[in-house]
Every structure is written in C-alpha cells, then in structure tokens.
Amino acid sequence: MDSKRLGYGFTLLAILIFSLQDAISKHLGSAYPPVFIAMLRFWAFAIFVMALGARSPGGLKVVAATKRPVLQILRGILLAVQIVITITAFTIVGLAHSQALLASGPIFVALLSMPLLGERVGWRRWTAIGVGLCGVLVILNPAGSDFDLPVLLPLVSALMFALYVIATRLVSRDDTASTSFFYTGVAGAAAISLVGPFFWTNLAPVDWLWMGLLCITGMSSHYFLIRAYDLLDAAAVQPLTYLQVVLAAIIGVSIFGETLNFNMVLGSVIVVAAGIFTIWRESVVARRRAAENRAENDTGK
C-alpha cells in the first residue's frame, strides 16, 4: 500500500474511532458528571503522550522544552474545558445535533484568525464564513418553538475548539508538533485534576469497562490521526473529518433514538460545504504564500 492510501486509511480509522468515542462519552455522560469522565480520559491521555515523549529522540526533556509555556498550558486548559462542554452537549442536546454544530469549527477558525493571527481573509473565505454562519442559524432555528438555550452548548464548544486551534497555530511558530501534543495531554490533565476530584463518583463495574474503552479510543484515535498527518496534507485530512457528522447522525438515530429534523439536515449540509471550502481555500492560500517565500529567498540569493 502506498503512503497516500495508507494515510487515507489512517484518517478513516481515526474518524471511526472518534465516532465510537463520542458515543461512549454520551453513554457515560448521561450517568456520571462530564467533568469526572473527562478527567479520567485526560489521565489516560497524559500517560499516552508521556510514553510517546519518552520514546522520542532526546526523551521527555526535549519534548517538554517550549518557548511558549503560558500559551501551551492555556491550550491544554482550553481543550479540557471544551471536552467537558462537548460531553455535556452530547448528553443534553444529543449526539447528532451536537456534531452538526461542532462542524462549524473551521468556520470559526477562519473568522478568529484575522484578529488573533493577523491573517488576511479574501472575499471567497468571507463568503464561506457568511454561508456557514447562516447554516448554523438554520440548525439552531432560534425562531422555532423547539429552540432551547442548551442547544448553544455545542456552539460554545466549537468556539472554544477554534480558540484551541488558533493557539496551536501560534505555538507552532516556535515549538514542534510533538511538544504541542505533549502539553495538550499533560497540561489538560493537570488543569482538570484541580476540579475533577470534587466530582468523583464510583463507577459501576460494567462502566469501568466502558471507561477503559473510552481511554483506549481517545489514545488510538489521536495516534492514527497523527499518522495520517504524517502521510497527508492537512487539506486532504480535514475534509474527511466531516464524516463524523454523518456517523454521529447514524449512531444518534439507531442507538440513542434521536430524531433528525429538516432544519438540522439542511443546516448541516450548508455548514459542512462551507467548512470544506474554507479548508480548501486556506490550503490554496498557504501554498501560494509558500511559493512566494521561496521565490523571495531565491531572489535574495
């Protein structure tokens, strides 16, 4: 199997595992405090990233060396809080409905990249952002009789994840990907451990099995996604992650008895289309800038 097909295989495997992880999170989140569930998950994640770091060249000392310690810690805190909100949303709002709104993440990243990263956004991406936000409004249907404030939870989660992505782009200017991955797990585990023990709940014996499976899926999904990014460009990987919206709808309806209304389906299509276009356009702009920088360097020589 060539590297490209292997990369797509890793991507699809990661997406399948992420979907299973979301379903288990919803199952456990309906019986136990989401903060408690997220804490146990982060403990396993921290062990995983420390083991990876110890096996890397130079060991933990090299992996933990960062030029942006405050921002790296902030990233871990952001992701920990975002995961707690996401598990809560899965439980209250539903798996399918939540994933439909979480799909707006890349749109918020493009929107926030202007004030926070100083990036210029052309009319094409502005149009995609506008269309995507319209899709979000279609899903939310604020004028509808069934609108409820908790439905905003997935939107808050999407915004927080967008901030996490922006912070990741900022630290990537100074730190390696392995260093960022290390701090995501360790800082996140440390932050949530300040709060999680107050929500400690004794798990039923069968739920320890589900919790173990959740930790395994959390580690393996990130591992396969890392392998996918090693073999493919982000522009090839990210559009495929929208398959989670489809899988979430299938799992939500078939396992948890959720219902899909017209607004949710139509809004999801709009948001996914706008998100894929935004990702594609960002990759085009990035390649153009890289080519311009190479040309400037060649001229300077």
Side-chain angles (χ1 to χ4, degrees):
M1 184 180 293
D2 61 62
S3 61
K4 195 168 184 178
R5 281 191 292 174
L6 188 60
Y8 282 120
F10 282 136
T11 303
L12 293 174
L13 187 56
I15 292 166
L16 286 171
I17 296 173
F18 274 126
S19 298
L20 177 60
Q21 175 183 301
D22 290 345
I24 298 171
S25 295
K26 176 178 170 63
H27 167 69
L28 291 174
S30 63
Y32 304 98
V35 177
F36 172 62
I37 299 301
M39 181 181 68
L40 295 183
R41 175 175 158 181
F42 258 99
W43 284 354
F45 187 31
I47 293 171
F48 175 61
V49 298
M50 290 179 71
L52 283 181
R55 290 170 56 88
S56 65
L60 289 174
K61 185 176 180 180
V62 173
V63 173
T66 173
K67 296 178 181 177
R68 308 290 292 271
V70 175
L71 195 55
Q72 288 285 16
I73 292 171
L74 179 62
R75 287 178 58 255
I77 295 172
L78 275 171
L79 188 61
V81 175
Q82 189 264 343
I83 287 176
V84 172
I85 294 174
T86 300
I87 296 174
T88 305
F90 288 161
T91 305
I92 298 175
V93 181
L95 193 61
H97 208 148
S98 294
Q99 280 293 357
L101 289 168
L102 287 170
S104 62
I107 296 167
F108 289 125
V109 170
L111 190 61
L112 293 172
S113 65
M114 292 178 285
L116 298 180
L117 294 177
E119 293 184 0
R120 295 175 58 188
V121 174
W123 68 269
R124 295 178 182 85
R125 276 188 287 173
W126 266 119
T127 303
I129 290 170
V131 171
L133 293 178
C134 288
V136 169
L137 286 175
V138 171
I139 297 171
L140 290 175
N141 191 22
S145 58
D146 58 346
F147 177 78
D148 198 8
L149 281 178
V151 80
L152 296 176
L153 281 172
L155 203 59
V156 173
S157 180
L159 278 167
M160 290 198 69
F161 191 74
L163 288 171
Y164 167 79
V165 171
I166 294 292
T168 301
R169 289 185 180 180
L170 283 171
V171 297
S172 68
R173 297 173 179 176
D174 299 297
D175 293 340
T176 63
S178 58
T179 296
S180 294
F181 191 56
F182 173 81
Y183 277 96
T184 299
V186 173
I192 202 167
S193 295
L194 298 175
V195 180
F198 294 102
F199 294 87
W200 188 274
T201 307
N202 291 325
L203 291 173
V206 68
D207 287 333
W208 275 113
L209 296 176
W210 285 114
M211 191 68 237
L213 185 57
L214 179 63
C215 293
I216 292 171
T217 56
M219 291 183 288
S220 59
S221 58
H222 281 94
Y223 172 76
F224 288 124
L225 196 59
I226 291 170
R227 293 296 308 275
Y229 278 116
D230 284 340
L231 299 170
L232 297 172
D233 292 334
V237 174
Q238 288 180 327
L240 288 176
T241 61
Y242 279 114
L243 285 173
Q244 271 190 265
V245 178
V246 178
L247 292 174
I250 294 171
I251 294 171
V253 171
S254 61
I255 296 178
F256 296 105
E258 298 175 8
T259 56
L260 306 179
N261 56 44
F262 176 76
N263 279 62
M264 197 172 82
V265 174
L266 177 61
S268 298
V269 172
I270 295 172
V271 169
V272 169
I276 290 175
F277 179 83
T278 301
I279 293 167
W280 171 77
R281 188 61 194 169
E282 284 182 354
S283 69
V284 170
V285 173
R287 287 197 298 268
R288 182 185 300 162
R289 286 175 183 168
E292 290 173 354
N293 290 335
R294 286 196 298 269
E296 288 178 3
N297 291 335
D298 291 342
T299 303
K301 293 177 182 179

